[in-house]
Each structure stands twice: as C-alpha cells, then as structure tokens.
Amino acid sequence: MIAVTVPALAVIGGIAARPAAAADTTPYRAQVFTQGYDTSKVATLTFDLDWRTGSAAQNAVSKANLETVLSVFAANGITGGFGVTGRFAEQNPAEARNIAAQGHKIFNHSYSHPDFMTLTRSQRWSQLDKAEAAFRAAGIGSAGWFRAPYRSGYMNAALNRDLALRGYYISADWTFDTTGYKAADWATVSGRIDRYLKPGAIIVMHVTTPSTDPGNLQKIIDKIKGMGYGFVSPFQAVTRGPIRAAYLAGGGPSWLGPATTGPMRATTTGTEVQWFQKGRLYYSAATGAHEVHGSILTKYRAMGTVGSFLRYPTADERGGAGSGRYSTFQGGSIYWSSATGAHEVHGSIRTKWLALGGEAGYLGYPRSDEKAVSVGRASQFQGGNVYWNSRDRAHEVHGAILTRYLALGGTGSRLGPPTSDGYKVSAGLRSDFRHGSLIWNSATNTVTVVYR
C-alpha cells in the first residue's frame, strides 16, 4: 500500500502529482511500501544490516546474530527481507551471499549508510551504484529495491524521483520498528507489537550489536502467531489481486524473480501491470492475468505492449514446434524461434497461417512482422509468404513459385496479388493471381508465367 502514515514516526516531505504517462511506462517515482497489500492477518519480517569494521569481538557477535536470524527464519519457514549496505557486502561477501541463497530479499540500503536527505542527486546515485557493485561482487542483487538509511526522506518526492531515475522503483519501507537496535528489553518490543501490528505490517529489526532483535526473534514470531497472524515474504507483500495469484501459481520469485515495480495501471481503470526481474504480468477483466517475458517481451515492448494493437496477453508463454515459443494476445500473437527471432502475426494473415498448421506447418515460424506491400499486407515465414488484401483475402505463396513471383515484383508486378493458395496440378503446383498464374513443373523445376 502506498504512503501509509505510520503513527510512530512523522512523515517527511510529500508526494506531488506525477505527470500523465502513456500506458505501461517506466515509473516516474519509486513506490513507497510502508506495508504490504494484504488485508488479512499477515506480517512481513525484515532486518537492516550494516556495520563498520569494529573490534574482532564486536564483529563476531554481529555475525553470530546474523546466523541466529537466518536459523530462526529457516526453522519457522519464514522468508524475510534484508536491507544490506554495500560495505557490509564488501566486507562479508559470504554472509551476504548466504542471505540471498536462503531465499531472502535483498534491499539496497546504500553503500555507507548516509542520510540521503543530505546528499545531492549525484551523491545518491553514487551510493546506490557503489552498493550494487559490491552486491554483484558478492553474487547478490537488489533488483531495484531500496531502503532509506535512518528512514530519512522516505516519503520525499524528489528523493523517490531520484531513485526511479536510477532504476529503483520500490522503496521498501516499514510499518514499525521494534527498537531492538536500542537494546530494547522484551517488554518494550512486545508492547510495540501490541500497539502497531496490523494486517500487512512490515516490521523492521536490526542485526548488529547491541540489537536485542536476534535474541528475541523467536519470541517475536511466537507472539505474532499468538495474535492470529501468519507471515508473507517481501516478494508477496508488494503484489496483489489476480497478478499476485498468477505470480504465486507460477512459482513466485523462482519463476519471474522479484517484482521490480509496484502494481501500476496498465491502460484504463481496472487494468494492471507489474514488472518483475524476468518478465511482466498483465491483467484485464477480459483476459485475466498473464505473463510475458524474454525475447517475446522485448518484441512486445518495441510494439508498445498494451497500447499496441496486440493489447493484453490471453495466455502465458507456451512452447511451439521445434523448441520455439509463442504468446497469444487479444490482437494477435508473437512467435519466437532461435532461427527467426520474435515476430508478430495477426488478423487474416494469422488466420490463414494457423489454418495451414502455423509454425508446425510447412510455412514454419514468421521471419518478419506483418508489413504493407504495394497491394495490401504481407508476412514472411520460413517456408513462404502470406499475402492479404480486402478484395482477394489471404493466400500463401511458397517455394519456386514465390521465388519467381518476387523476381517479377510481387504484388506490384503485372500478376498482382495472389487469389489462391498453391494447389496441385498434373505438372506440379500452381498459384493463381489477379492477372495470371504461376505454374511450377516438378519434373523440370521450372516456373511458367501465364498472364490473362
């Protein structure tokens, strides 16, 4: 849920109205999550993790605390979130890698934990970039999730614009802090849970000594369970509705990776799109929620996604003949193969192509998008072309007949557009055109032109 006021802390700054945007475009600002979308009794547990190189004893305690947190999470089947600084990952790459390896979500918590409201835009970007470089070196990544050090400016419009301009579209904030980082006793922590826990709450705790949170974690979990709550991961907390259902049904982060944006209106009210690390999920009432990813998504994006004539996907991506892939949309399909790349097919040409067996037929996969020709439209396939115009409708031309037809000038030639598919004759194969025919002789492998 966006910009939920937290009773324990004041909101700094405000959110100005964002400019109007075209459908399914890059977010203008990072979306702030002070709680998840759940309205049922569930909570999300997160920890912040940063320490400078201290004494060997202090570092040993902090590392033991992290091991305790990961162990308790594993024992309770909880997937949490970790706001990790770049310097922590740089100094402790194995520990950082272990957090991610156990399935927890990493947030970019800056490189050295400065107050972002004291930094210029370039300094903010430097902190983000340096942290992400340390993450990459450790074998982890944030996927564009940020958590503000000190929570400073987390609702500031300019800061969230700066985040978006650097590719950080999720500001992973929180509903309340246990204050364990102040060495709070159990009574204090328990009291804050009583006061601030609510459906969808995101709870922040801290690893580093003198935090009491690692030692209290099992009691915190037991207390929350005793209040009738369960737990959801950060991956789930930032999704909702049919897109969440589709995401979880497909395998969640193991399928599409983490979300990289919050849910956004796709075109009109009631439609939605959410971007993920490995693809996007689109929803409309007419089509339901379906994913698009990989090379097919690249083509779909180039065409304008839901703003194009293809509109919304009507199914998830599926396997085609010969290890190819395809996705269907309201206005057509996109097919991909390693030999041809990704191309769209739609309208009457698609209908004709599918009637001839589609990618499994002799025409094979498309090797061009549909394009205008001198008379009507055409799509090229591995095994031939399909032509369409409003008078003669859609017909295929292939083989030696197609080679001769193109040499003569195609639809712009004296023959004009095709009026039939290729059909067998005693000599071999024949295709008829508006002003004549082409006849292929199988015995001589020659093509004869007949004008009328």
Side-chain angles (χ1 to χ4, degrees):
M1 199 170 293
I2 305 173
V4 178
T5 302
V6 181
L9 289 162
V11 171
I12 302 171
I15 294 292
R18 61 167 290 174
D24 192 22
T25 51
T26 301
Y28 184 77
R29 292 192 182 96
Q31 181 172 338
V32 182
F33 284 87
T34 57
Q35 66 184 75
Y37 281 110
D38 290 276
T39 56
S40 58
K41 294 176 74 172
V42 293
T44 299
L45 301 183
T46 71
F47 278 84
D48 283 353
L49 188 55
D50 171 57
W51 68 73
R52 298 175 180 86
T53 303
S55 69
Q58 288 174 321
N59 286 344
V61 170
S62 294
K63 288 187 178 184
N65 283 350
L66 177 57
E67 291 173 3
T68 295
V69 170
L70 294 175
S71 177
V72 172
F73 273 172
N76 289 272
I78 292 173
T79 299
F82 286 81
V84 179
T85 63
R87 67 184 173 196
F88 171 82
E90 196 170 71
Q91 296 163 13
N92 306 278
E95 285 79 6
R97 194 160 46 249
N98 189 34
I99 293 169
Q102 294 194 35
H104 304 295
K105 183 70 191 75
I106 302 291
F107 316 143
N108 186 321
H109 198 34
S110 79
Y111 177 77
S112 58
H113 209 270
D115 181 340
F116 265 46
M117 293 305 291
T118 68
L119 304 182
T120 65
R121 171 180 285 176
S122 62
Q123 289 171 332
R124 290 168 177 172
W125 288 354
S126 178
Q127 281 283 324
L128 295 168
D129 293 350
K130 194 173 180 182
E132 214 65 48
F135 288 176
R136 286 194 298 272
I140 64 174
S142 70
W145 292 45
F146 172 76
R147 174 166 279 178
Y150 310 108
R151 208 190 196 192
S152 179
Y154 75 103
M155 288 294 293
N156 181 269
L159 171 57
N160 284 303
R161 175 61 177 156
D162 286 351
L163 292 174
L165 287 170
R166 211 58 169 178
Y168 293 82
Y169 306 128
I170 293 179
S171 179
D173 193 58
W174 36 270
T175 311
F176 72 93
D177 189 333
T178 62
T179 68
Y181 73 97
K182 296 180 179 180
D185 60 17
W186 172 243
T188 300
V189 173
S190 181
R192 290 184 67 79
I193 295 171
D194 287 332
R195 185 176 179 185
Y196 297 123
L197 185 64
K198 61 181 177 180
I202 299 172
I203 303 168
V204 66
M205 294 168 280
H206 293 79
V207 172
T208 309
T209 182
S211 176
T212 57
D213 290 324
N216 283 332
L217 183 55
Q218 187 60 60
K219 288 197 288 187
I220 291 169
I221 292 170
D222 290 342
K223 179 176 177 66
I224 291 171
K225 286 181 177 179
M227 296 171 71
Y229 277 71
F231 299 94
V232 296
S233 72
F235 302 102
Q236 180 172 333
V238 301
T239 61
R240 66 184 178 192
I243 283 181
R244 172 189 280 188
Y247 178 57
L248 296 179
S254 65
W255 175 43
L256 288 179
T260 56
T261 71
M264 303 178 287
R265 189 172 74 171
T267 49
T268 58
T269 301
T271 65
E272 207 156 69
V273 59
Q274 190 161 15
W275 299 4
F276 295 82
Q277 193 174 36
K278 300 177 184 178
R280 297 182 185 180
L281 277 164
Y282 293 86
Y283 168 79
S284 76
T287 58
H290 299 289
E291 62 81 24
V292 189
H293 73 278
S295 296
I296 289 177
L297 176 58
T298 300
K299 167 59 72 173
Y300 187 45
R301 288 177 60 188
M303 295 180 67
T305 69
V306 290
S308 72
F309 66 84
L310 289 175
R311 293 176 287 159
Y312 286 84
T314 57
D316 294 344
E317 183 179 301
R318 287 170 281 184
S323 301
R325 307 289 297 176
Y326 70 97
S327 288
T328 56
F329 301 84
Q330 289 175 297
S333 301
I334 296 176
Y335 282 77
W336 171 90
S337 77
S338 59
T340 59
H343 298 287
E344 64 79 20
V345 192
H346 71 279
S348 297
I349 288 179
R350 176 175 177 266
T351 300
K352 166 60 70 174
W353 177 61
L354 291 175
L356 294 171
E359 85 283 6
Y362 64 86
L363 288 178
Y365 281 88
R367 55 186 186 90
S368 78
D369 298 340
E370 183 180 304
K371 59 184 178 181
V373 290
S374 57
V375 182
R377 310 281 297 176
S379 288
Q380 298 174 315
F381 299 87
Q382 289 174 296
N385 293 352
V386 176
Y387 296 88
W388 172 91
N389 67 80
S390 58
R391 171 178 162 182
D392 304 300
R393 313 312 296 170
H395 299 288
E396 65 79 25
V397 187
H398 73 280
I401 289 177
L402 175 61
T403 301
R404 185 66 183 275
Y405 182 54
L406 293 175
L408 292 168
T411 58
S413 71
R414 179 179 169 184
L415 285 171
T419 58
S420 78
D421 297 339
Y423 59 95
K424 291 181 178 181
V425 293
S426 58
L429 192 72
R430 173 173 177 156
S431 287
D432 295 329
F433 300 86
R434 196 179 286 181
H435 304 297
S437 300
L438 290 171
I439 303 168
W440 172 70
N441 187 304
S442 60
T444 62
N445 195 28
T446 58
V447 177
T448 302
V449 184
V450 179
Y451 291 110
R452 61 173 181 270

